[in-house]
Short mmCIF file of all heavy atoms in Angstrom, two decimals:
data_model
loop_
_atom_site.label_atom_id
_atom_site.label_comp_id
_atom_site.label_asym_id
_atom_site.label_seq_id
_atom_site.Cartn_x
_atom_site.Cartn_y
_atom_site.Cartn_z
N MET X 1424 4.85 -0.46 -14.05
CA MET X 1424 5.80 0.72 -13.58
C MET X 1424 7.11 0.17 -13.11
O MET X 1424 7.27 -0.79 -12.48
CB MET X 1424 4.97 1.33 -12.41
CG MET X 1424 5.75 2.46 -11.80
SD MET X 1424 4.94 3.13 -10.32
CE MET X 1424 6.11 4.33 -9.81
N VAL X 1425 8.11 1.00 -13.49
CA VAL X 1425 9.51 0.62 -13.00
C VAL X 1425 9.86 1.63 -11.83
O VAL X 1425 9.74 2.78 -11.88
CB VAL X 1425 10.57 0.83 -14.05
CG1 VAL X 1425 11.95 0.46 -13.64
CG2 VAL X 1425 10.23 -0.01 -15.39
N HIS X 1426 10.23 0.93 -10.68
CA HIS X 1426 10.64 1.74 -9.54
C HIS X 1426 12.14 1.85 -9.55
O HIS X 1426 12.86 0.99 -9.89
CB HIS X 1426 10.32 1.05 -8.20
CG HIS X 1426 8.81 0.64 -8.14
ND1 HIS X 1426 7.93 1.55 -7.65
CD2 HIS X 1426 8.16 -0.45 -8.45
CE1 HIS X 1426 6.80 0.96 -7.65
NE2 HIS X 1426 6.80 -0.26 -8.18
N ARG X 1427 12.60 3.07 -9.16
CA ARG X 1427 14.10 3.20 -9.12
C ARG X 1427 14.44 3.33 -7.52
O ARG X 1427 13.86 4.12 -6.77
CB ARG X 1427 14.50 4.62 -9.64
CG ARG X 1427 15.76 4.50 -10.48
CD ARG X 1427 16.14 5.82 -11.18
NE ARG X 1427 17.51 6.05 -11.07
CZ ARG X 1427 18.49 5.38 -11.67
NH1 ARG X 1427 18.22 4.46 -12.60
NH2 ARG X 1427 19.78 5.75 -11.50
N ILE X 1428 15.31 2.36 -7.10
CA ILE X 1428 15.61 2.19 -5.61
C ILE X 1428 17.11 2.30 -5.48
O ILE X 1428 17.85 1.68 -6.19
CB ILE X 1428 15.06 0.86 -5.21
CG1 ILE X 1428 13.66 0.60 -5.48
CG2 ILE X 1428 15.29 0.71 -3.61
CD1 ILE X 1428 12.63 1.26 -4.69
N THR X 1429 17.50 3.04 -4.42
CA THR X 1429 18.89 3.11 -4.19
C THR X 1429 19.38 1.82 -3.41
O THR X 1429 18.70 1.36 -2.44
CB THR X 1429 19.16 4.34 -3.30
OG1 THR X 1429 18.81 5.55 -3.93
CG2 THR X 1429 20.62 4.42 -2.83
N LEU X 1430 20.48 1.20 -3.84
CA LEU X 1430 20.96 -0.01 -3.12
C LEU X 1430 22.29 0.26 -2.55
O LEU X 1430 23.27 0.63 -3.23
CB LEU X 1430 21.05 -1.10 -4.23
CG LEU X 1430 21.63 -2.38 -3.73
CD1 LEU X 1430 20.57 -3.08 -2.76
CD2 LEU X 1430 21.89 -3.38 -4.88
N ILE X 1431 22.38 0.22 -1.18
CA ILE X 1431 23.65 0.48 -0.49
C ILE X 1431 24.11 -0.82 0.19
O ILE X 1431 23.55 -1.30 1.16
CB ILE X 1431 23.43 1.54 0.55
CG1 ILE X 1431 22.76 2.81 -0.01
CG2 ILE X 1431 24.75 1.87 1.29
CD1 ILE X 1431 22.29 3.81 1.07
N PRO X 1432 25.08 -1.42 -0.46
CA PRO X 1432 25.49 -2.87 0.04
C PRO X 1432 26.03 -2.86 1.44
O PRO X 1432 25.79 -3.73 2.25
CB PRO X 1432 26.57 -3.29 -0.99
CG PRO X 1432 26.36 -2.49 -2.19
CD PRO X 1432 25.86 -1.16 -1.67
N GLY X 1433 26.76 -1.76 1.85
CA GLY X 1433 27.21 -1.68 3.22
C GLY X 1433 28.61 -2.47 3.47
O GLY X 1433 29.25 -2.88 2.54
N ASP X 1434 28.80 -2.68 4.73
CA ASP X 1434 30.18 -3.30 5.09
C ASP X 1434 29.88 -4.71 5.66
O ASP X 1434 28.78 -5.16 6.02
CB ASP X 1434 30.76 -2.56 6.23
CG ASP X 1434 31.18 -1.13 5.90
OD1 ASP X 1434 31.70 -0.88 4.79
OD2 ASP X 1434 30.92 -0.19 6.69
N GLY X 1435 31.00 -5.41 5.89
CA GLY X 1435 30.96 -6.71 6.49
C GLY X 1435 30.08 -7.68 5.71
O GLY X 1435 30.22 -7.90 4.45
N ILE X 1436 29.03 -8.12 6.40
CA ILE X 1436 28.06 -9.12 5.78
C ILE X 1436 27.11 -8.41 4.92
O ILE X 1436 26.26 -8.94 4.25
CB ILE X 1436 27.27 -9.98 6.78
CG1 ILE X 1436 26.58 -9.14 7.82
CG2 ILE X 1436 28.35 -11.01 7.52
CD1 ILE X 1436 25.62 -9.76 8.74
N GLY X 1437 27.14 -7.03 4.94
CA GLY X 1437 26.17 -6.28 4.15
C GLY X 1437 25.98 -6.66 2.77
O GLY X 1437 24.83 -7.03 2.23
N PRO X 1438 27.07 -6.72 1.93
CA PRO X 1438 26.95 -7.06 0.50
C PRO X 1438 26.21 -8.39 0.26
O PRO X 1438 25.52 -8.56 -0.60
CB PRO X 1438 28.48 -7.13 -0.01
CG PRO X 1438 29.16 -6.13 0.85
CD PRO X 1438 28.48 -6.32 2.21
N GLU X 1439 26.52 -9.45 1.22
CA GLU X 1439 25.94 -10.74 1.04
C GLU X 1439 24.45 -10.67 1.30
O GLU X 1439 23.62 -11.24 0.50
CB GLU X 1439 26.58 -11.73 2.03
CG GLU X 1439 28.00 -11.89 1.70
CD GLU X 1439 28.82 -12.54 2.88
OE1 GLU X 1439 28.41 -13.56 3.42
OE2 GLU X 1439 29.71 -11.82 3.39
N VAL X 1440 23.98 -10.04 2.38
CA VAL X 1440 22.59 -10.08 2.73
C VAL X 1440 21.80 -9.17 1.81
O VAL X 1440 20.72 -9.45 1.44
CB VAL X 1440 22.34 -9.76 4.25
CG1 VAL X 1440 22.82 -10.91 5.11
CG2 VAL X 1440 22.95 -8.45 4.73
N THR X 1441 22.36 -8.06 1.30
CA THR X 1441 21.67 -7.14 0.36
C THR X 1441 21.49 -7.82 -0.89
O THR X 1441 20.49 -7.61 -1.58
CB THR X 1441 22.28 -5.77 0.26
OG1 THR X 1441 23.59 -5.91 0.05
CG2 THR X 1441 22.04 -4.92 1.43
N GLU X 1442 22.54 -8.61 -1.29
CA GLU X 1442 22.41 -9.32 -2.54
C GLU X 1442 21.19 -10.38 -2.55
O GLU X 1442 20.50 -10.46 -3.45
CB GLU X 1442 23.75 -9.99 -2.89
CG GLU X 1442 23.75 -10.88 -4.19
CD GLU X 1442 23.52 -10.03 -5.44
OE1 GLU X 1442 23.37 -8.83 -5.35
OE2 GLU X 1442 23.33 -10.69 -6.47
N GLY X 1443 21.10 -10.99 -1.37
CA GLY X 1443 20.12 -11.98 -1.09
C GLY X 1443 18.71 -11.27 -1.27
O GLY X 1443 17.79 -11.73 -1.96
N ALA X 1444 18.63 -10.08 -0.62
CA ALA X 1444 17.39 -9.35 -0.66
C ALA X 1444 17.04 -8.83 -2.05
O ALA X 1444 15.94 -8.96 -2.55
CB ALA X 1444 17.48 -8.12 0.29
N ARG X 1445 18.13 -8.39 -2.68
CA ARG X 1445 17.92 -7.84 -4.19
C ARG X 1445 17.33 -8.89 -5.11
O ARG X 1445 16.32 -8.78 -5.72
CB ARG X 1445 19.17 -7.25 -4.66
CG ARG X 1445 19.04 -6.62 -6.02
CD ARG X 1445 20.34 -6.24 -6.69
NE ARG X 1445 21.12 -7.56 -7.06
CZ ARG X 1445 20.75 -8.31 -8.11
NH1 ARG X 1445 19.83 -8.06 -8.91
NH2 ARG X 1445 21.45 -9.49 -8.33
N ARG X 1446 17.92 -10.09 -4.98
CA ARG X 1446 17.46 -11.17 -5.79
C ARG X 1446 16.01 -11.63 -5.42
O ARG X 1446 15.21 -11.84 -6.37
CB ARG X 1446 18.43 -12.38 -5.73
CG ARG X 1446 19.77 -12.07 -6.36
CD ARG X 1446 20.59 -13.34 -6.57
NE ARG X 1446 20.81 -14.07 -5.40
CZ ARG X 1446 20.38 -15.41 -5.18
NH1 ARG X 1446 19.80 -15.96 -6.20
NH2 ARG X 1446 20.72 -16.01 -4.03
N CYS X 1447 15.67 -11.69 -4.17
CA CYS X 1447 14.40 -12.08 -3.77
C CYS X 1447 13.29 -11.04 -4.21
O CYS X 1447 12.28 -11.39 -4.76
CB CYS X 1447 14.24 -12.19 -2.26
SG CYS X 1447 15.07 -13.70 -1.55
N ILE X 1448 13.73 -9.74 -4.09
CA ILE X 1448 12.75 -8.72 -4.54
C ILE X 1448 12.49 -8.79 -6.04
O ILE X 1448 11.40 -8.70 -6.48
CB ILE X 1448 13.20 -7.33 -4.12
CG1 ILE X 1448 13.28 -7.20 -2.54
CG2 ILE X 1448 12.54 -6.14 -4.74
CD1 ILE X 1448 14.10 -6.05 -2.02
N GLU X 1449 13.65 -9.03 -6.75
CA GLU X 1449 13.50 -9.04 -8.18
C GLU X 1449 12.65 -10.29 -8.58
O GLU X 1449 11.86 -10.17 -9.53
CB GLU X 1449 14.79 -9.13 -8.84
CG GLU X 1449 15.47 -7.71 -9.00
CD GLU X 1449 16.73 -7.75 -9.82
OE1 GLU X 1449 17.18 -8.82 -10.33
OE2 GLU X 1449 17.22 -6.69 -10.10
N ALA X 1450 12.79 -11.34 -7.81
CA ALA X 1450 12.04 -12.55 -8.25
C ALA X 1450 10.57 -12.47 -8.07
O ALA X 1450 9.82 -13.29 -8.55
CB ALA X 1450 12.63 -13.77 -7.39
N THR X 1451 10.13 -11.40 -7.33
CA THR X 1451 8.67 -11.22 -7.27
C THR X 1451 8.03 -10.66 -8.48
O THR X 1451 6.85 -10.61 -8.74
CB THR X 1451 8.31 -10.15 -6.11
OG1 THR X 1451 8.84 -8.94 -6.50
CG2 THR X 1451 8.79 -10.59 -4.79
N GLY X 1452 8.87 -10.29 -9.35
CA GLY X 1452 8.50 -9.70 -10.67
C GLY X 1452 8.23 -8.26 -10.68
O GLY X 1452 8.03 -7.57 -11.74
N VAL X 1453 8.39 -7.62 -9.55
CA VAL X 1453 8.28 -6.08 -9.50
C VAL X 1453 9.47 -5.51 -10.25
O VAL X 1453 10.62 -6.00 -10.03
CB VAL X 1453 8.27 -5.65 -8.01
CG1 VAL X 1453 8.30 -4.08 -7.87
CG2 VAL X 1453 6.97 -6.16 -7.32
N LYS X 1454 9.17 -4.53 -11.13
CA LYS X 1454 10.31 -3.99 -11.96
C LYS X 1454 11.00 -2.94 -11.17
O LYS X 1454 10.42 -1.92 -10.80
CB LYS X 1454 9.64 -3.39 -13.17
CG LYS X 1454 8.92 -4.35 -14.12
CD LYS X 1454 9.89 -4.88 -15.16
CE LYS X 1454 9.22 -6.02 -16.04
NZ LYS X 1454 8.91 -7.24 -15.32
N ILE X 1455 12.30 -3.17 -10.98
CA ILE X 1455 13.13 -2.26 -10.26
C ILE X 1455 14.47 -1.99 -10.88
O ILE X 1455 15.02 -2.86 -11.45
CB ILE X 1455 13.39 -2.85 -8.85
CG1 ILE X 1455 12.10 -2.90 -7.96
CG2 ILE X 1455 14.40 -1.86 -8.14
CD1 ILE X 1455 12.23 -3.26 -6.61
N GLU X 1456 14.77 -0.66 -10.99
CA GLU X 1456 16.09 -0.34 -11.55
C GLU X 1456 16.82 0.10 -10.26
O GLU X 1456 16.53 0.95 -9.57
CB GLU X 1456 16.00 0.97 -12.43
CG GLU X 1456 16.05 0.71 -13.85
CD GLU X 1456 15.86 1.99 -14.70
OE1 GLU X 1456 16.33 3.02 -14.20
OE2 GLU X 1456 15.22 1.93 -15.61
N TRP X 1457 17.88 -0.47 -10.02
CA TRP X 1457 18.76 -0.28 -8.83
C TRP X 1457 19.84 0.79 -9.04
O TRP X 1457 20.51 0.80 -10.05
CB TRP X 1457 19.44 -1.66 -8.34
CG TRP X 1457 18.44 -2.69 -8.06
CD1 TRP X 1457 18.21 -3.77 -8.85
CD2 TRP X 1457 17.74 -2.83 -6.86
NE1 TRP X 1457 17.27 -4.54 -8.27
CE2 TRP X 1457 16.91 -4.01 -6.98
CE3 TRP X 1457 17.63 -2.21 -5.67
CZ2 TRP X 1457 16.09 -4.55 -6.04
CZ3 TRP X 1457 16.72 -2.66 -4.68
CH2 TRP X 1457 16.03 -3.85 -4.89
N ASP X 1458 19.89 1.71 -8.15
CA ASP X 1458 20.85 2.77 -8.24
C ASP X 1458 21.87 2.46 -7.17
O ASP X 1458 21.67 2.72 -5.95
CB ASP X 1458 20.15 4.13 -8.00
CG ASP X 1458 20.92 5.34 -8.25
OD1 ASP X 1458 22.04 5.13 -8.73
OD2 ASP X 1458 20.46 6.47 -7.99
N LEU X 1459 23.09 1.92 -7.66
CA LEU X 1459 24.11 1.46 -6.61
C LEU X 1459 24.79 2.70 -5.96
O LEU X 1459 25.24 3.55 -6.64
CB LEU X 1459 25.08 0.55 -7.32
CG LEU X 1459 26.09 -0.07 -6.42
CD1 LEU X 1459 25.42 -1.11 -5.48
CD2 LEU X 1459 27.19 -0.84 -7.29
N ALA X 1460 24.90 2.62 -4.64
CA ALA X 1460 25.41 3.76 -3.89
C ALA X 1460 26.31 3.26 -2.90
O ALA X 1460 26.02 2.33 -2.11
CB ALA X 1460 24.42 4.73 -3.32
N ILE X 1461 27.60 3.71 -2.86
CA ILE X 1461 28.63 3.09 -1.91
C ILE X 1461 28.79 3.98 -0.70
O ILE X 1461 29.24 5.09 -0.87
CB ILE X 1461 29.95 2.80 -2.63
CG1 ILE X 1461 29.70 2.02 -3.85
CG2 ILE X 1461 30.91 2.00 -1.66
CD1 ILE X 1461 29.19 0.57 -3.77
N ALA X 1462 28.53 3.53 0.53
CA ALA X 1462 28.83 4.19 1.81
C ALA X 1462 29.60 3.21 2.65
O ALA X 1462 29.54 1.94 2.48
CB ALA X 1462 27.52 4.60 2.34
N GLY X 1463 30.24 3.70 3.65
CA GLY X 1463 31.08 2.87 4.60
C GLY X 1463 32.48 2.72 4.25
O GLY X 1463 32.99 3.58 3.61
N GLN X 1464 33.02 1.60 4.61
CA GLN X 1464 34.53 1.37 4.46
C GLN X 1464 34.83 1.47 3.03
O GLN X 1464 35.90 2.13 2.72
CB GLN X 1464 34.87 0.07 5.18
CG GLN X 1464 36.36 0.04 5.52
CD GLN X 1464 36.76 1.18 6.40
OE1 GLN X 1464 36.21 1.43 7.44
NE2 GLN X 1464 37.79 1.91 6.01
N ASP X 1465 34.21 0.89 2.02
CA ASP X 1465 34.68 0.94 0.61
C ASP X 1465 34.63 2.43 0.09
O ASP X 1465 35.54 2.85 -0.51
CB ASP X 1465 33.54 0.22 -0.24
CG ASP X 1465 33.88 -1.20 -0.30
OD1 ASP X 1465 34.92 -1.65 0.31
OD2 ASP X 1465 33.22 -2.02 -1.03
N ALA X 1466 33.61 3.11 0.54
CA ALA X 1466 33.47 4.54 0.09
C ALA X 1466 34.62 5.32 0.81
O ALA X 1466 35.25 6.22 -0.01
CB ALA X 1466 32.19 5.16 0.67
N LYS X 1467 35.01 5.05 1.89
CA LYS X 1467 36.22 5.70 2.62
C LYS X 1467 37.36 5.41 1.92
O LYS X 1467 38.24 6.27 1.62
CB LYS X 1467 36.24 5.22 4.14
CG LYS X 1467 37.41 5.65 4.84
CD LYS X 1467 36.90 6.66 5.94
CE LYS X 1467 38.08 6.91 6.86
NZ LYS X 1467 38.56 8.06 7.11
N ASP X 1468 37.62 4.13 1.53
CA ASP X 1468 38.82 3.74 0.77
C ASP X 1468 38.98 4.47 -0.62
O ASP X 1468 40.01 4.90 -0.97
CB ASP X 1468 38.95 2.20 0.57
CG ASP X 1468 39.10 1.49 1.87
OD1 ASP X 1468 39.36 2.21 2.90
OD2 ASP X 1468 38.80 0.28 1.84
N LYS X 1469 37.85 4.67 -1.25
CA LYS X 1469 37.79 5.17 -2.60
C LYS X 1469 37.77 6.72 -2.62
O LYS X 1469 38.45 7.36 -3.48
CB LYS X 1469 36.56 4.67 -3.37
CG LYS X 1469 36.77 3.30 -3.95
CD LYS X 1469 35.64 2.80 -4.82
CE LYS X 1469 35.76 1.32 -4.92
NZ LYS X 1469 34.49 0.60 -4.74
N THR X 1470 36.99 7.28 -1.66
CA THR X 1470 36.74 8.78 -1.80
C THR X 1470 37.20 9.54 -0.52
O THR X 1470 37.21 10.65 -0.50
CB THR X 1470 35.17 9.00 -1.89
OG1 THR X 1470 34.53 8.71 -0.66
CG2 THR X 1470 34.59 8.26 -3.04
N GLY X 1471 37.58 8.76 0.49
CA GLY X 1471 38.07 9.42 1.70
C GLY X 1471 36.91 9.70 2.67
O GLY X 1471 37.02 10.21 3.73
N GLU X 1472 35.58 9.53 2.23
CA GLU X 1472 34.53 9.75 2.99
C GLU X 1472 33.70 8.59 3.25
O GLU X 1472 33.44 7.66 2.34
CB GLU X 1472 33.54 10.77 2.31
CG GLU X 1472 34.01 12.16 2.29
CD GLU X 1472 33.03 13.03 1.55
OE1 GLU X 1472 32.10 13.57 2.22
OE2 GLU X 1472 33.23 13.18 0.23
N LEU X 1473 33.14 8.43 4.50
CA LEU X 1473 32.31 7.15 4.85
C LEU X 1473 30.95 7.38 4.23
O LEU X 1473 30.31 6.39 3.81
CB LEU X 1473 32.17 7.14 6.43
CG LEU X 1473 33.26 6.48 7.10
CD1 LEU X 1473 33.18 6.74 8.59
CD2 LEU X 1473 33.39 5.02 6.87
#
Side-chain angles (χ1 to χ4, degrees):
M1424 175 184 179
V1425 180
H1426 304 273
R1427 218 177 142 74
I1428 308 282
T1429 300
L1430 177 69
I1431 306 168
D1434 295 317
I1436 56 168
E1439 297 158 55
V1440 290
T1441 49
E1442 178 59 8
R1445 186 192 65 75
R1446 290 195 302 119
C1447 287
I1448 293 166
E1449 278 190 359
T1451 64
V1453 171
K1454 298 266 174 294
I1455 293 183
E1456 260 179 36
W1457 301 98
D1458 190 4
L1459 187 66
I1461 308 295
Q1464 203 52 54
D1465 272 2
K1467 174 115 170 116
D1468 296 343
K1469 280 185 199 133
T1470 68
E1472 285 181 90
L1473 281 166

